[in-house]
């Protein structure tokens, strides 16, 4: 099916945030036309299973699908995959794509992020894998099946999940990280001791204060040279050092920074334009700052909030970050904020060696709660976090008018 020349709501990016926006628009009673464009070839899917069940071979990748052509058709949503948005004309309200131009009433930017590559010598793509897409997950899964040793570069949560999967596949694993600490999503480095212990108990070697100088490949083995001069050898090297927002297609409309798009607390980036999910940083009326969360539930909540705003004009409560991960069968859940200067106070269990619930305390108030395998007590602690975070709001940032260049916002 060809693209229609106009859509009342045009959503660019067909993954969690984009599809949540489209489906929520119908749920909110929006009766206008909705078009979703995505540049991947397959049906839209969720990414969290890619580093867990899909990577381990427990799920076929189709089980992560979230929105089929049939579901889109039933909801009266024009879903187009394999089409790339190339530029935006703000004044004319037109998006140019690889399949022609499309004009819009409202535009929702949901183009997410891509894996950050390692800035080292040699062509890293030849010797190191990254994990962002379905295809990446399948390629890494196959490599893990055929590898005895793996070096994971990146000490964030994705690096930890890949390391845990590689250990489960029987590979010898080393995690290399520059920051000196293991981090866990929004919890940052506050649980580094517990994570170090988990990895060590499961036989993962940690090199947490070393950067990577270069990677070479001799045809069978990758040789990773660390900034300390130390060398590691591995059958497979995986790079998990974060993500870069996909904003380059907006360059012609004035966006020059490679950072997330700074929106108001309802996701509005400029007049008639919203941004949702990993590509967006929404203004947090509690802290007065822009927050880029890069979490699955934030992407969903962004989509739902923008849909409500477009369909009804109602303002939604800004999302409270909710993050989860699973390492070696241990389920971590985190809700709220974990500022670097917060103190983590254990309220149940033992944080350093087992299951626990802990509060992120700042100025005597709980700003976040994190738990390992204690879902019920985690849930019970959430209202106290809500009470703290619903404090006095900061003023909203000014809106960019529809005809002004987009980049001038901040
Ligand atoms: C392997 C992995 C595991 C994760 N695990 C967790 C987890 O356990 N818990 C958690 O909270 N979060 C997790 N996350 C993060 C979560 O998946 C993201 O926050 C979420 O995918 C963000 O959704 P999004 O729709 O904003 O962006 P994306 O998922 O990045 O989707 C954006 C889509 O837009 C497309 N696109 C980009 N540019 C264009 C263009 N110009 N034209 C058309 N289409 C375009 C992209 O190809 C992509 O399909 C994980 C992420 C990864 C990669």
């Amino acid at each position: 099916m060809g693209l229609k020349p106009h859509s009342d709501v045009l959503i660019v990016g067909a993954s969690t945030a984009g599809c949540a926006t489209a489906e929520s628009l119908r749920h909110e009673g929006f009766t206008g036309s909705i078009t979703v464009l995505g540049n991947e070839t397959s049906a839209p899917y969720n990414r969290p299973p890619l580093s867990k069940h899909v990577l381990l071979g427990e799920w076929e990748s189709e089980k992560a699908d979230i929105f089929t052509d049939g579901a889109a058709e039933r909801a009266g949503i024009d879903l187009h995959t394999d089409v790339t948005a190339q530029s935006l004309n703000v004044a004319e309200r037109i998006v140019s794509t690889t399949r022609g131009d499309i004009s819009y009433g409202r535009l929702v930017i949901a183009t997410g992020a891509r894996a950050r590559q390692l800035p080292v010598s040699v062509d890293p793509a030849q010797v190191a894998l990254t994990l962002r897409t379905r295809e990446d997950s399948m390629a890494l899964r196959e490599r893990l099946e055929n590898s005895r040793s793996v070096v994971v570069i990146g000490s964030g949560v994705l690096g930890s999940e890949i390391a845990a999967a590689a250990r489960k596949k029987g590979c010898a694993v080393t995690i290399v990280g520059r920051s000196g600490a293991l981090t866990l999503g929004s919890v940052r480095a506050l649980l580094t001791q517990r994570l170090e212990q988990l990895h060590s108990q499961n036989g993962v070697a940690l090199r947490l204060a070393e950067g990577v100088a270069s990677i070479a490949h001799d045809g069978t083995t990758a040789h990773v040279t660390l900034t300390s001069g130390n060398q590691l050898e591995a059958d497979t090297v995986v790079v998990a050092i974060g993500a870069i927002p996909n904003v380059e297609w907006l360059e012609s409309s004035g966006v020059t920074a490679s950072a997330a798009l700074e929106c108001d607390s309802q996701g509005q980036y400029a007049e008639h334009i919203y941004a949702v999910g990993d590509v967006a940083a929404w203004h947090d009326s509690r802290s007065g700052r822009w927050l880029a969360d890069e979490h699955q539930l934030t992407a969903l909540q962004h989509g739902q909030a923008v849909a409500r705003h477009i369909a009804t004009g109602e303002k939604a409560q800004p999302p409270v970050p909710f993050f989860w991960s699973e390492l070696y069968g241990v389920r971590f859940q985190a809700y709220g904020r974990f500022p670097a200067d917060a103190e983590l106070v254990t309220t149940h269990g033992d944080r350093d060696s087992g299951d626990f619930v802990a509060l992120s305390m700042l100025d005597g108030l709980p700003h976040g709660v994190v738990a390992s395998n204690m879902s019920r007590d985690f849930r019970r602690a959430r209202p106290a976090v809500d009470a703290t975070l619903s404090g006095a709001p900061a003023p909203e940032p000014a809106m960019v008018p529809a005809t002004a260049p987009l980049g001038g916002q901040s």
Side-chain angles (χ1 to χ4, degrees):
M1 187 177 57
L3 291 188
K4 292 181 183 149
H6 176 82
S7 190
D8 295 330
V9 177
L10 172 61
I11 301 167
V12 181
S15 184
T16 306
C19 295
T21 310
E23 290 189 287
S24 303
L25 274 166
R26 287 290 181 246
H27 189 71
E28 295 287 347
F30 182 78
T31 53
S33 53
I34 304 172
T35 303
V36 183
L37 307 178
N39 65 358
E40 296 190 67
T41 47
S42 70
Y45 56 91
N46 274 333
R47 291 174 210 276
L50 300 184
S51 52
K52 306 172 187 74
H53 309 290
V54 175
L55 190 57
L56 283 168
E58 296 165 355
W59 284 17
E60 283 317 311
S61 78
E62 291 72 28
K63 201 167 168 188
D65 287 358
I66 49 173
F67 202 35
T68 59
D69 284 343
E73 211 178 312
R74 283 192 294 281
I77 294 167
D78 287 334
L79 169 66
H80 298 271
T81 52
D82 201 13
V83 50
T84 303
Q86 294 173 307
S87 64
L88 165 66
N89 182 329
V90 182
E92 303 285 328
R93 292 202 225 169
I94 290 175
V95 169
S96 299
T97 81
T98 44
R99 287 203 233 151
D101 291 355
I102 177 162
S103 64
Y104 60 84
R106 316 278 181 100
L107 172 66
V108 181
I109 300 169
T111 43
R114 61 186 180 278
R116 189 184 292 279
Q117 301 287 340
L118 202 60
V120 297
S121 59
V122 202
D123 177 1
Q126 296 298 312
V127 295
L129 302 179
T130 53
L131 176 50
R132 181 81 199 176
T133 65
R134 190 198 287 274
E135 291 77 19
D136 293 342
S137 181
M138 298 309 288
L140 182 55
R141 171 165 145 179
E142 195 185 322
R143 282 278 280 272
L144 294 185
E145 293 292 343
N146 298 303
S147 296
R148 281 160 305 161
S149 53
V150 177
V151 168
V152 179
I153 299 166
S155 52
V157 62
L158 187 55
S160 278
E161 288 183 352
I162 294 167
R167 279 302 294 142
K168 203 159 180 189
K169 291 281 171 195
C171 307
V173 180
T174 304
I175 296 179
V176 177
R178 240 182 3 186
S179 70
L182 290 164
T183 58
L184 189 80
S186 54
V187 186
R188 304 165 198 262
L190 290 168
L191 286 180
T192 190
Q193 207 177 318
R194 173 72 178 126
L195 297 174
E196 279 181 29
Q197 188 194 49
L198 260 182
H199 280 306
S200 300
Q201 281 169 349
N202 286 280
V204 171
L206 300 172
R207 310 289 282 258
L208 293 181
E210 299 192 68
V212 173
S214 67
I215 310 175
H217 205 275
D218 64 16
T220 48
T221 305
H223 303 266
V224 182
T225 304
L226 304 180
T227 43
S228 59
N230 289 327
Q231 294 230 344
L232 300 171
E233 290 188 350
D235 297 330
T236 294
V237 178
V238 194
V239 176
I241 54 170
I244 302 174
N246 291 318
V247 294
E248 290 75 7
W249 68 280
L250 297 165
E251 256 167 34
S252 62
S253 57
V255 175
T256 48
S258 59
L261 303 173
E262 292 181 347
C263 304
D264 72 9
S265 64
Q266 299 301 309
Q268 223 169 334
Y269 180 62
E271 226 176 332
H272 315 299
I273 301 177
Y274 297 79
V276 290
D278 282 9
V279 75
W282 284 22
H283 191 257
D284 177 42
S285 44
R286 301 153 186 130
S287 64
R289 289 202 293 250
W290 279 273
L291 302 172
D293 274 330
E294 294 182 21
H295 293 158
Q296 175 77 7
L297 285 178
T298 303
L300 267 175
Q301 289 174 343
H302 277 181
Q304 289 162 351
V306 161
R308 174 168 306 172
H309 200 239
I310 293 174
T312 68
E314 273 176 40
K315 291 189 170 187
Q317 282 294 316
V320 175
F322 191 151
F323 161 84
W324 81 96
S325 176
E326 205 168 303
L327 299 171
Y328 309 106
V330 177
R331 187 168 176 81
F332 291 97
Q333 292 166 293
Y335 180 76
R337 299 268 165 227
F338 297 83
D341 48 347
E343 191 193 351
L344 212 51
V345 177
T346 308
T347 57
H348 298 77
D350 180 356
R351 189 172 88 225
D352 293 330
S353 58
D355 298 341
F356 66 87
V357 178
L359 295 173
S360 148
M361 299 296 293
L362 194 64
D363 302 327
L365 293 170
H367 284 245
V369 54
V370 56
S372 137
N373 283 345
M374 292 188 90
S375 297
R376 205 175 50 177
D377 293 305
F378 170 77
R379 271 198 307 277
R380 284 185 180 152
R382 286 175 48 172
V385 173
D386 287 331
T388 306
L389 297 184
S390 60
E396 283 283 338
M399 180 59 51
V400 176
T403 47
L406 290 181
Q409 178 138 8
S410 56

